[in-house]
Amino acid sequence: MNSSARDRRHHHMSTNAISPRRHKPPAAANRTRKEGDVTVVKAGSDAELLGLVPSLMGYHPKESLIVIPFAGKHCGTGMRINLPPRASSSTIDTLASLCISSLSKMDHCNAAMLAVFTDESFIRAVRGYRMTLKRLELALLRQGFGIRRTFVRAADGWSEIDDPDAPVGGYDPAQLEAALPAGLQRPTAHEPTPPERDARLPEPDTARAQLLCDELDLLAAGRERTALGVLIPAQPVDHVQLVEQLLEKGPPQLPVITMARFCISALQPAFRDPMLVQLAFGESVGASARDYNIRHHERMQATGLSSDELAMRDLAQGRVVERDVAMIMGDWPDAPDADRLQNAQDVVAHIAAHCPTWARPPVLCVLGWLYWAAGGGSAAGAHLQEALRLDPSLRMAALLLALVDSGKLPEWGFRSMDRMVSRLGDGGGPSGPGRNRDAA
């Protein structure tokens, strides 16, 4: 997990009811407390509440709608959605459905905070997004969710949209920084946000890329080179062991032959999909997924059906969906380990940056899924779109892109609220360990 996300893992906010807008902030010494590995921060004013959003998200949102779920007076990390086009009824309806669906999956969520973050002027932003925000409020209220606050945070000002005392140009943005308690971890304002950063591959090393290209050419021809440079027939690969070797070494120390074996294996769905879930969920899951894929392909050969046709027949006949399939589709309650997932993203991004164009699409497909699994819908979409641009016939990329574009989020992303309720009590709250959710 990147450093800002690691910082965010341990922040949690209590709103202290935030009931008058001009509520006097609590004394600094009493504004934070530790609950195990979680820092609970009290917010008693609008400036404190809005000012904490970058710390909760782990970065400064840009051109975004932020939805922060509440359980009682507690809240945690939120969901980021690309700022939609103005005043389109269909777009607002879609946005409302996405928010309601996401909040409804959090068993203890009973309210939300909405905030538009934009680089436009405050006056233009309020004029442009007020109707969208009010319609979202109404849609949430009709479904039984309370509205804690609704903000506009623009380049030159901010305000709660129904604050009658707000200046025409909004309040001074400097108030937001000044309202935060001393010692609270803050993301750097000018660094790229995760959606911007994660959508880009790292800069490749030219010499390393050429070595990988050479190794791939050999493997594609059924040969490989020993450590002494002797050419031999390509050796059988234990794909479960291969994935663990990738994660153990990390990007700077990855042997080129290991990278090449991963690329070649990713070209074959029977190996790609088990490696994908193993990267996120662990070695035992990878072994189980590999065994299922072997059985699945044996059934394909026996029936003459394609993989999709066999899956549809199984669904129609009520066959139980295998665990790894449920994991790939996000229909699994247990979240992958956050640090393992971040490590996997770094490793696969490094491989994608160095491999030649012909081998890159399935690697980008795996990378896109890893970002989606961590809540990074924007980065996931960018990598999946590039995979399809390079190989329009890659069905897995098309399937996953449709999943991302639908706004669906992994089931495990909604379980942090329940865990924090049991830890904090007093109205509950979501946990810090889940990464923020980036729907689009």
Side-chain angles (χ1 to χ4, degrees), residues 337-411:
D337 178 79
D339 290 330
R340 181 183 178 93
L341 198 55
Q342 179 65 51
N343 187 21
Q345 291 169 0
D346 294 342
V347 165
V348 178
H350 180 83
I351 296 173
H354 288 85
C355 68
T357 302
W358 65 266
R360 191 175 300 151
V363 180
L364 288 173
C365 187
V366 172
L367 182 61
W369 184 88
L370 290 171
Y371 278 119
W372 179 76
S378 294
H383 292 303
L384 293 167
Q385 287 171 356
E386 177 64 6
L388 281 173
R389 185 187 73 81
L390 295 173
D391 181 3
S393 68
L394 187 56
R395 299 180 67 179
M396 184 64 168
L399 172 67
L400 293 178
L401 185 59
L403 193 67
V404 172
D405 287 346
S406 73
K408 178 176 178 177
L409 298 168
E411 191 71 22

Side-chain angles (χ1 to χ4, degrees), residues 265-329:
S265 299
L267 290 168
Q268 304 173 68
F271 300 136
R272 179 199 62 211
D273 297 349
M275 291 194 304
L276 183 151
V277 293
Q278 182 180 344
L279 282 164
F281 289 98
E283 186 173 358
S284 63
V285 172
S288 173
R290 176 197 58 194
D291 294 343
Y292 164 73
N293 258 26
I294 291 172
R295 297 193 305 271
H296 185 71
H297 281 79
E298 287 174 347
R299 293 179 60 219
M300 286 171 56
Q301 291 179 343
T303 60
L305 299 175
S306 70
S307 179
D308 291 344
E309 290 168 341
L310 187 57
M312 291 182 66
R313 192 184 76 171
D314 288 348
L315 185 63
Q317 294 177 351
R319 288 179 65 98
V320 175
V321 175
E322 292 288 336
R323 178 177 64 172
D324 60 296
V325 176
M327 287 174 169
I328 290 175
M329 301 305 292

Side-chain angles (χ1 to χ4, degrees), residues 93 100 135-147:
D93 289 344
I100 291 167
R135 285 186 58 180
L136 285 176
E137 283 185 345
L138 182 60
L140 291 172
L141 288 169
R142 284 174 172 168
Q143 295 298 318
F145 293 102
I147 304 296

Side-chain angles (χ1 to χ4, degrees), residues 92 114 129-141 147 150 160-162:
I92 296 173
L114 307 175
Y129 292 108
R130 180 179 177 81
M131 186 178 80
T132 298
L133 290 169
K134 297 306 289 183
R135 285 186 58 180
L136 285 176
E137 283 185 345
L138 182 60
L140 291 172
L141 288 169
I147 304 296
T150 300
E160 207 279 337
I161 62 169
D162 288 327

